Amino acid sequence: MRPVDPVERHLFLEGVFLRYGYDFRQYSEASINRRLGSLQDKHGDECLLDTLKRVLRSPDSFREVLPLLTVGTTEFFRDPQFFRALREKVFPVLRTYPTFKIWIAGCSTGEEILSLCIALKEEGLLDRAIIHATDINPLALRRARDGIYDLASVETFTRNYVAAGGTQSPSEYYTSDYRLVSFHEHNLVTDAVFTEAHLILCRNVLIYFNRELQNRALNLFSQSLAYRGFLAIGSKESLRFSEVQSFFTPVDAAQNIHQQRPFDAAEGAP
């Protein structure tokens, strides 16, 4: 992969933001360099300015580029112990509500949505749930809505489902549809509070942001949580040293699940 010139990177990201409103300027440098390098290699461009010229002149070219800038890595029941922790430590609290809302931010192509719906169904909670799934990438959202996955994904599902504490035969879900979900485009970089939720999942998204953008997203989540709501982030992410660290209490530190603390005006918590 060819190195990315920092000046060209700056011009490319500024151009995309000004023309299309997608703001990648505060993504982590290492992450965006990998993506832009891959983009150059794919199209055989000598420099990013050639890529930028094509993208600015053609919205169709930008639509082809966008998935490469927002590529997400996901799988069914990713980190199975995380879903066990949801069942044991979060679902019992959600069970006390007649209805509750869940926001899956950065839902990618939908594997986590289906995993969560299956876990909720097996705990008798799916009918109470109002689930919103958001992503910046319209192509990923379309695939999530369609819910069609290849054989390799099904094999991963079977292995992880059992490890995550599944209670049925995995084959029962191969052709089932439990996606009682509304899908929306939402940009954590530029958009405001999306909904009030009792549980927010945003796993393996913050690792692509710099510190300033991480704080923006975490503040957005804090403002979006219902009283004593839960926030789950990725295994390589952290609330430590963030602006909202004091607002949360760990529920399961190993699985990065946190609960918002009660309002305390003296400490300035939400």
Side-chain angles (χ1 to χ4, degrees):
M1 183 183 300
R2 70 190 71 186
V4 174
D5 182 275
V7 174
E8 293 179 7
R9 179 185 65 233
H10 172 78
L11 293 173
F12 183 91
L13 299 179
E14 287 288 341
V16 165
F17 175 65
L18 291 172
R19 176 60 59 87
Y20 299 107
Y22 285 85
D23 192 352
F24 300 101
R25 296 173 298 176
Q26 296 185 74
Y27 277 48
S28 75
E29 185 174 305
S31 172
I32 205 67
N33 279 349
R34 287 194 300 272
R35 299 179 191 201
L36 292 178
S38 296
L39 182 60
Q40 284 183 262
D41 289 342
K42 179 178 180 180
H43 292 279
D45 295 326
E46 289 298 321
C47 66
L48 269 177
L49 297 182
D50 293 334
T51 312
L52 176 61
K53 186 184 300 183
R54 183 177 61 255
V55 165
L56 293 182
R57 289 177 176 175
S58 170
D60 288 339
S61 293
F62 175 68
R63 282 189 285 271
E64 293 177 3
V65 165
L66 182 60
L68 296 176
L69 295 177
T70 61
V71 62
T73 302
T74 186
E75 63 183 30
F76 289 108
F77 290 99
R78 182 178 185 180
D79 303 322
Q81 294 306 313
F82 167 78
F83 286 91
R84 281 186 176 270
L86 285 183
R87 289 178 185 259
E88 296 170 2
K89 300 180 180 181
V90 176
F91 287 2
V93 178
L94 297 183
R95 197 182 304 279
T96 65
Y97 297 103
T99 61
F100 53 85
K101 289 184 180 180
I102 298 175
W103 176 16
I104 305 175
C107 68
S108 188
T109 49
E111 287 88 339
E112 186 165 63
I113 302 168
L114 289 172
S115 302
L116 180 65
C117 286
I118 290 170
L120 288 167
K121 182 180 186 299
E122 292 184 350
E123 296 297 324
L125 293 173
L126 185 59
D127 291 341
R128 303 191 202 180
I130 300 169
I131 303 174
H132 298 287
T134 65
D135 202 274
I136 188 177
N137 186 344
L139 297 180
L141 282 173
R142 186 182 308 162
R143 185 177 175 190
R145 287 192 190 97
D146 293 342
I148 300 173
Y149 302 97
D150 57 26
L151 181 60
S153 296
V154 173
E155 293 171 349
T156 300
F157 167 85
T158 301
R159 181 178 64 254
N160 287 352
Y161 168 78
V162 174
T167 60
Q168 306 297 322
S169 169
S171 62
E172 293 189 18
Y173 299 110
Y174 289 169
T175 59
S176 298
D177 183 356
Y178 296 102
R179 294 175 297 115
L180 305 176
V181 180
S182 60
F183 295 88
H184 311 269
E185 285 189 44
H186 184 273
N187 190 336
L188 294 174
V189 180
T190 57
D191 292 342
V193 169
F194 177 76
T195 188
E196 182 181 60
H198 298 84
L199 169 62
I200 296 176
L201 276 67
C202 185
R203 302 173 66 224
N204 306 302
V205 174
L206 300 179
I207 55 174
Y208 299 117
F209 295 170
N210 66 15
R211 176 66 67 180
E212 181 180 353
L213 191 51
Q214 287 177 6
N215 277 320
R216 185 193 193 280
L218 290 170
N219 274 294
L220 188 68
F221 296 147
S222 179
Q223 295 163 22
S224 301
L225 281 173
Y227 177 76
R228 300 287 281 154
F230 296 91
L231 172 64
I233 58 178
S235 59
K236 296 181 180 179
E237 299 163 342
S238 178
L239 297 185
R240 293 186 63 192
F241 309 115
S242 73
E243 294 176 358
V244 303
Q245 178 181 358
S246 63
F247 299 172
F248 289 90
T249 300
V251 172
D252 190 314
Q255 301 306 321
N256 247 338
I257 302 173
H258 309 266
Q259 186 174 28
Q260 194 169 63
R261 296 173 56 193
F263 177 75
D264 186 335
E267 296 185 15

